[in-house]
Amino acid sequence: MKHFVLAGSFASASLIAALLTSFNVWSSEQDSWQVLQKAAIAARALSYKGVFVCQSAKQIKSVEITHLYDGQHEFARNVVLDGAPREVLNQSGNVVIYNPRNGKIVIEKRRAQNMFPAILPTDLNSIKASYSLRSGEIERIAGRTAQMLVLEPKDNLRYSYRFWIDTEYGLLLKSVMFNNRNETLESIGFNQLALMNTVELDWFKPKIDHNKSYVMEQEQELIADAGSPIDWEIKALPPGYRKVDQMMRKVQGKSGPVTHVIFSDGLAFVSLFIEHVAKPTKEKPTPKNVLTTTGNTSFYANVNSGHLVTVMGDVPEATVVQIANAVVFKK
Amino acid sequence: MSEQISALMDEEIAVEDAAHLISSMQSSKQSADAWSQYNLIGDVMRGNQLLSKDFKQNLMLKLDQEPTVLAPKSAQSNAEKVAGLKDKLPAKWSIAASVAAVMVVGWMAMHQVQSENEAPAIEMAQADVVEQAIPNEYMAAHQSSAPSATSYYIQSVSYAE
């Protein structure tokens, strides 16, 4: 009888333990998503100043960032400290780049979508659908204590990431992207950081070089075309990817405008270009299909029903091929 | 003259109609003074309380109600076409939030008028052999509309220096 009671209490204890463990796993993943959510907001809603280093396959550049949120608007000035003094000014998502080029400063206008440390969207649902998240070690980054998080794709159609998040400020301190063979593709992280307690904006202007002429970049985008395509449609996109933008644009060296469609899974961005190709002649045969990867970027071009379809992005090759194959031309 | 400069800033005068204004601005001291006046206004809007609080609030309110397209219309652009497309174009610039940056860009836009005949071609380099695997023209288009976090600072497309 005593044995039975013991066995029974042991059984219920292990049941409770099992429940607790699974709850802990669940709650720790929930906690990690909360940390990530906080990081997405902190990057936009905190005021801070620091230096971060970005590293791609070939280059390393240090960037000085000053970021201010005044309660309504976001202002950021990023100055590249190594090499040409490129400056990137961001005002609530509108980006102006002062790009020294050929003895001039070319002014380029862009829209911000993933400027470090705000590389995560504030709505993480699309990321949750395609990636799983777990917490790693506590590590020290830029003199700060950081929680490491590992974001892994649920399939082979995107890369994995490690994020280091300041345990006190909640700010993303470092992000590293890995390919499917666990090789580092790019890394971007602070090596010094301090919060700012100011609303002054006297720093929010580029340093002007009066000896250089400033010219606006030629407009590349012709039409922000949200309308439905005329002679093609997109079917069966790879899971997790959705269309985020579509436009007609000029592409250097192309006579006509090119349709440019952008897809994203929340973190990775993929471009699709569609253009007419002339009927093949002896002198100009049909272009060959190309599948290549340079650094982080996969590139695929093929000819489909008299159109050149080109797809590229910081994603595995399988993804660009699937997106190209999702384009169906109406006969 | 000062009113004209102000109007130019507010885009009431098209830049192409204001060539005389810009050239005289570069020579005339009075105009240069007017220009620094506008920078002073910028200081005020950034929080230096030189004027009454109401002035700033009223001005901010007015500016808020009037989103301003910052870049001057190209002299060559087809007015009708632009008008038709304008509503579809994203990311209009509001000058309310920071006069400072806007001033600078505005100043540069004026300089652009001078050099519009030498508009920048996207010069592609033969610098990097491996990067040539992906055609530069597509890389440039991709990075300008779908940049990665590092491509704001590190350009895979290399330009002739």
Side-chain angles (χ1 to χ4, degrees):
Chain A
M1 186 65 186
K2 206 175 180 185
H3 274 254
F4 178 77
V5 171
L6 270 179
S9 55
F10 180 74
S12 51
S14 47
L15 182 67
I16 288 165
L19 277 172
L20 277 176
T21 312
S22 65
F23 178 75
N24 279 343
V25 168
W26 180 81
S27 80
S28 88
E29 179 159 6
Q30 284 304 104
D31 287 350
S32 299
W33 282 113
Q34 292 241 313
V35 171
L36 207 59
Q37 180 70 65
K38 195 178 165 194
I41 293 163
R44 294 165 173 91
L46 291 180
S47 296
Y48 46 88
K49 190 176 170 67
V51 174
F52 63 80
V53 175
C54 39
Q55 182 169 6
S56 70
K58 295 212 161 118
Q59 289 190 62
I60 301 178
K61 298 234 183 216
S62 296
V63 180
E64 180 191 64
I65 181 170
T66 313
H67 179 277
L68 182 135
Y69 180 64
D70 68 0
Q72 278 188 303
H73 301 282
E74 230 189 307
F75 305 89
R77 177 174 179 232
N78 300 273
V79 182
V80 175
L81 300 175
D82 305 318
R86 181 182 171 87
E87 295 205 26
V88 182
L89 274 78
N90 175 10
Q91 182 179 324
S92 296
N94 295 314
V95 176
V96 178
I97 301 174
Y98 297 85
N99 188 15
R101 196 197 297 171
N102 300 333
K104 291 180 198 147
I105 311 288
V106 180
I107 304 171
E108 304 165 355
K109 292 210 284 176
R110 299 281 184 268
R111 273 162 288 160
Q113 34 198 4
N114 47 7
M115 291 190 69
F116 183 81
I119 59 170
L120 296 156
T122 48
D123 179 358
L124 294 180
N125 283 330
S126 55
I127 296 179
K128 281 182 187 172
S130 306
Y131 300 83
S132 61
L133 187 67
R134 62 183 167 84
S135 64
E137 305 292 308
I138 299 285
E139 291 179 11
R140 193 160 165 270
I141 302 284
R144 308 281 314 164
T145 305
Q147 169 70 57
M148 200 252 277
L149 296 177
V150 182
L151 187 75
E152 281 169 331
K154 293 178 178 173
D155 51 31
N156 60 357
L157 297 170
R158 55 212 105 227
Y159 293 138
S160 65
Y161 298 81
R162 269 179 210 176
F163 300 122
W164 284 260
I165 291 155
D166 192 303
T167 51
E168 186 189 353
Y169 303 156
L171 193 65
L172 178 69
L173 295 177
K174 184 178 174 182
S175 161
V176 180
M177 181 167 81
F178 297 90
N179 66 11
N180 304 344
R181 292 184 301 278
N182 226 24
E183 297 161 338
T184 301
L185 294 176
E186 68 176 35
S187 146
I188 184 162
F190 282 105
N191 62 12
Q192 63 185 64
L193 173 72
L195 291 195
M196 272 198 314
N197 189 16
T198 178
V199 288
E200 290 295 317
L201 269 172
D202 50 350
W203 53 269
F204 188 64
K205 58 189 173 210
K207 190 175 175 218
I208 303 296
D209 184 344
H210 291 283
N211 298 320
K212 295 228 164 87
S213 60
Y214 285 74
V215 291
M216 296 295 287
E217 179 188 40
Q218 277 180 323
E219 201 70 51
Q220 289 184 324
E221 190 177 311
L222 298 179
I223 308 164
D225 175 16
S228 56
I230 301 156
D231 57 349
W232 53 271
E233 58 188 322
I234 294 181
K235 291 187 167 166
L237 276 174
Y241 287 91
R242 61 185 186 84
K243 186 169 106 176
V244 293
D245 206 354
Q246 179 174 334
M247 70 199 87
M248 300 294 291
R249 77 176 316 138
K250 285 182 213 160
V251 172
Q252 189 76 16
K254 306 281 173 186
S255 51
V258 175
T259 302
H260 185 181
V261 189
I262 299 169
F263 303 94
S264 178
D265 69 350
L267 267 177
F269 288 87
V270 183
S271 284
L272 160 71
F273 302 95
I274 299 174
E275 63 209 274
H276 285 280
V277 283
K279 282 219 168 105
T281 59
K282 227 174 194 179
E283 293 77 36
K284 279 190 137 187
T286 307
K288 287 201 175 76
N289 291 2
V290 178
L291 177 61
T292 180
T293 301
T294 303
N296 317 336
T297 309
S298 297
F299 177 92
Y300 180 61
N302 76 331
V303 175
N304 182 347
S305 312
H307 295 77
L308 179 61
V309 175
T310 307
V311 184
M312 63 189 299
D314 290 357
V315 291
E317 287 182 349
T319 312
V320 293
V321 173
Q322 283 195 29
I323 289 178
N325 291 340
V327 181
V328 177
F329 291 92
K330 294 169 185 167
K331 301 293 172 196
Chain B
M1 182 75 173
S2 307
E3 281 161 16
Q4 285 179 289
I5 295 171
S6 172
L8 182 67
M9 287 300 300
D10 295 337
E11 287 215 325
E12 286 164 18
I13 299 179
V15 169
E16 59 266 31
D17 296 332
H20 71 282
L21 187 60
I22 289 157
S23 51
S24 63
M25 213 174 119
Q26 280 157 350
S27 55
S28 143
K29 185 177 180 299
Q30 193 202 346
S31 310
D33 289 347
W35 187 253
S36 38
Q37 286 287 326
Y38 289 108
N39 278 302
L40 183 64
I41 293 170
D43 285 342
V44 172
M45 294 187 66
R46 284 190 299 272
N48 302 342
Q49 296 284 336
L50 297 178
L51 295 169
S52 77
K53 210 179 175 189
D54 286 342
F55 170 83
K56 183 182 165 186
Q57 281 175 341
N58 292 341
L59 187 58
M60 293 296 271
L61 191 68
K62 279 189 176 170
L63 289 172
D64 268 331
Q65 287 163 348
E66 255 179 47
T68 304
V69 178
L70 181 64
K73 293 169 195 112
S74 155
Q76 296 94 334
S77 52
N78 177 331
E80 280 176 27
K81 193 170 142 202
V82 170
L85 300 178
K86 232 174 188 179
D87 291 339
K88 294 182 187 170
L89 288 172
K92 289 187 180 173
W93 285 74
S94 158
I95 71 167
S98 169
V99 172
V102 168
M103 285 279 180
V104 169
V105 180
W107 175 82
M108 287 161 181
M110 290 174 191
H111 273 236
Q112 186 209 357
V113 175
Q114 286 180 294
S115 51
E116 95 187 355
N117 291 335
E118 30 173 351
I122 299 181
E123 288 117 320
M124 301 299 176
Q126 294 78 42
D128 200 323
V129 177
V130 182
E131 301 286 47
Q132 291 287 310
I134 296 177
N136 267 337
E137 60 271 24
Y138 291 107
M139 188 65 109
H142 171 64
Q143 291 193 339
S144 78
S145 294
S148 73
T150 57
S151 68
Y152 290 101
Y153 314 106
I154 296 176
Q155 291 185 294
S156 309
V157 182
S158 34
Y159 299 93
E161 293 295 337

